[in-house]
Amino acid sequence: MGKNKAIFLDRDGVINIDKQYVCKIQDFEFMDGIFELLRHLQQLDYMLIIVTNQSGIGRGYYTQEDFDTLSIWMLEQLKEHGIHIEKIFYCSHAPEVQCHCRKPNPRMLCDAQKEFNIDLTSSWMIGDKKSDVDAGKNAGISKTIFVSKADCSESYGADFCVENIRQIQHIIEN
Ligand SMILES: [Mg+2]
Ligand SMILES: [Zn+2]
């Protein structure tokens, strides 16, 4: 059986608006155009996998249970829009712990690669921070997309930079 290809998605700033430590359903606001984008990527036979740093747990800002509750709700919303997320990989540690999973470490992506038999050279990493771009590169993913909150004058060495996630579909198709 051939290997799978995947789109690795950061959560905050890609799936939902990054309001810093989002942990409640009422604060979770999907990005404009995210449902259309993910449905389209799915039709191109990409597995969709979320890789997210959730240091808010380790810092004590919210609990593991808060995160799980929000994740279940988010997956339900996505499912209602016809989108299947293969799995959410997350790091719950505070930066001081110096764990091996927090992006820019490639651990979460490497674990996903093994679990889902993913060909990283035909996969993409999409994120809105330097640590997302670096995690993708550290894992050996061939293409990274930086989602900029401002303009693309700084894109941290990503292969592509977009100011609006609606631009991503065109990049991956070509
Ligand atoms: Mg982010
Ligand atoms: Zn970690």
Side-chain angles (χ1 to χ4, degrees):
M1 207 177 96
K3 280 189 168 184
N4 298 304
K5 54 181 186 174
I7 311 278
F8 292 96
L9 302 147
D10 172 40
R11 197 195 79 179
D12 302 288
V14 176
I15 306 275
N16 56 286
I17 297 172
D18 187 0
K19 299 176 182 173
Q20 305 256 312
Y21 304 108
V22 171
C23 60
K24 295 194 185 91
I25 291 169
Q26 62 261 36
D27 296 329
F28 192 99
E29 205 178 323
F30 282 100
M31 294 278 278
D32 251 356
I34 190 65
F35 298 127
E36 294 82 350
L37 173 66
L38 296 183
R39 263 202 306 269
H40 193 84
L41 297 178
Q42 209 167 243
Q43 283 161 7
L44 296 172
D45 287 331
Y46 285 100
M47 278 184 173
L48 303 177
I49 294 170
I50 295 176
V51 285
T52 176
N53 283 351
Q54 293 292 326
S55 69
I57 299 171
R59 296 176 205 260
Y61 297 166
Y62 50 91
T63 65
Q64 175 76 50
E65 200 188 348
D66 294 330
F67 175 73
D68 292 341
T69 302
L70 182 58
S71 294
I72 290 166
W73 177 85
M74 176 187 74
L75 292 176
E76 277 171 3
Q77 298 300 304
L78 289 165
K79 195 176 166 191
E80 280 180 17
H81 285 83
I83 296 150
H84 172 67
I85 301 292
E86 214 64 41
K87 186 166 172 174
I88 302 171
F89 289 83
Y90 64 95
C91 163
S92 62
H93 307 109
E96 312 84 82
V97 180
Q98 299 194 339
C99 66
H100 296 289
C101 38
R102 182 174 167 82
K103 292 175 287 184
N105 289 312
R107 173 70 68 83
M108 295 192 282
L109 293 87
C110 295
D111 286 350
Q113 188 274 325
K114 290 188 204 98
E115 186 168 343
F116 297 107
N117 190 29
I118 291 164
D119 175 14
L120 294 174
T121 62
S122 54
S123 297
W124 296 71
M125 173 75 209
I126 303 172
D128 69 331
K129 287 194 176 151
K130 181 181 189 295
S131 54
D132 297 312
V133 175
D134 289 344
K137 287 182 185 293
N138 290 338
I141 285 188
S142 64
K143 297 276 169 58
T144 52
I145 300 177
F146 181 70
V147 179
S148 178
K149 288 180 190 70
D151 58 41
C152 282
S153 54
E154 176 58 275
S155 58
Y156 302 110
D159 298 287
F160 299 92
C161 179
V162 297
E163 291 164 19
N164 185 316
I165 58 163
R166 292 179 190 277
Q167 297 166 262
I168 292 173
Q169 177 177 328
H170 182 73
I171 291 170
I172 293 183
E173 267 175 352
N174 289 282

